[in-house]
Amino acid sequence: SLTLLTGMTFPTGLTQLSGHIPDAYGSLVKLTTLSLDTPKLSGSLPSELSSLTALATLGIATTSISGHLPDQLSSLTLLTGLLISPLVFSGTLPNAYGSLIKLTALEIQSSSVSGTLPSELSSLTALASLKAYSTSMSGTLPHELGSLTLLTGFTFNQSGLIGSIPSGLGSLIKLTTLGLQSDSLSGTIPSELSSLTGLDALDLYSTSMSGTIPNELSSLTLSLIHI
């Protein structure tokens, strides 16, 4: 038994590795890194992985793993990175992930993930990067996300977001990148974004926003603006 393992990585090059993730991996309680990036892995993500309470990084990419994102992963309270891209996971992003308070990076790319962005994510106050691409998520951006004051990158593209950009995002003063692309995003650009003095890139392309660009944004030294 490999119960002393601290790291397990299956890179993209292992193209012939197939089958399911064994439930028994939940017994590798010293793992701090689990990275699965092999296209022929299938089945669901075992709830037994919730026993890996020492895990700091969980990355799952370019696999054929499906099913729902397990609520039980919320017990991995030492996680600093949760990277899920691109998969056929379905269902919603669990509200319980708001308990992963050490997360610094949360990235999701899956066309089958739906529902809304949980306001509980506002508890992830260590978060530096929040990214969601090509999902089926909808609803509005929770105004509570303005509490994530350590965010440097916030990207939410190709989604079904509706409503306006919360003025509270002006509190994210460490942001260097803000990207929000959604055909249904409406309203005007909040003048409060002028508080983001470290912002380097602002991408609001492919939205239904209206009005003029606030004069206050002229104070920003942007290298990229895409509206």
Side-chain angles (χ1 to χ4, degrees):
S1 68
L2 303 177
T3 54
L4 297 182
L5 268 183
T6 60
M8 180 180 288
T9 301
F10 296 118
T12 308
L14 295 175
T15 55
Q16 300 307 311
L17 188 66
S18 61
H20 296 188
I21 301 174
D23 295 347
Y25 281 10
S27 65
L28 303 175
V29 295
K30 292 187 180 293
L31 272 187
T32 60
T33 301
L34 177 58
S35 179
L36 305 172
D37 193 5
T38 51
K40 292 186 179 180
L41 279 180
S42 58
S44 59
L45 198 61
S47 60
E48 286 80 2
L49 297 185
S50 62
S51 299
L52 305 180
T53 53
L55 209 60
T57 303
L58 176 59
I60 306 172
T62 61
T63 72
S64 298
I65 295 172
S66 58
H68 288 227
L69 288 166
D71 285 2
Q72 293 93 331
L73 295 186
S74 62
S75 66
L76 305 180
T77 54
L78 296 184
L79 269 185
T80 59
L82 178 57
L83 314 174
I84 300 171
S85 163
L87 299 162
V88 288
F89 276 125
S90 58
T92 61
L93 187 61
N95 296 343
Y97 286 10
S99 65
L100 302 175
I101 58 175
K102 292 186 181 291
L103 272 187
T104 60
L106 175 59
E107 302 184 11
I108 296 175
Q109 181 177 352
S110 175
S111 60
S112 298
V113 169
S114 57
T116 59
L117 195 62
S119 60
E120 287 81 1
L121 297 186
S122 63
S123 299
L124 307 180
T125 52
L127 211 58
S129 177
L130 176 57
K131 299 180 181 180
Y133 298 97
S134 303
T135 72
S136 297
M137 299 178 76
S138 59
T140 59
L141 281 170
H143 66 85
E144 293 92 344
L145 296 183
S147 66
L148 302 179
T149 54
L150 296 184
L151 272 183
T152 59
F154 183 27
T155 304
F156 208 92
N157 289 347
Q158 299 173 23
S159 67
L161 283 178
I162 60 174
S164 57
I165 298 176
S167 59
L169 295 191
S171 301
L172 306 179
I173 58 175
K174 292 185 180 292
L175 271 188
T176 59
T177 302
L178 176 59
L180 301 170
Q181 293 184 14
S182 172
D183 290 340
S184 302
L185 200 62
S186 58
T188 59
I189 300 175
S191 60
E192 287 82 358
L193 297 187
S194 62
S195 299
L196 307 179
T197 53
L199 202 63
D200 182 62
L202 176 61
D203 187 357
L204 302 176
Y205 184 67
S206 188
T207 71
S208 298
M209 300 181 73
S210 59
T212 59
I213 298 175
N215 292 331
E216 292 89 343
L217 295 190
S218 62
S219 64
L220 302 178
T221 55
L222 294 167
S223 64
L224 171 67
I225 183 167
H226 197 192
I227 299 177

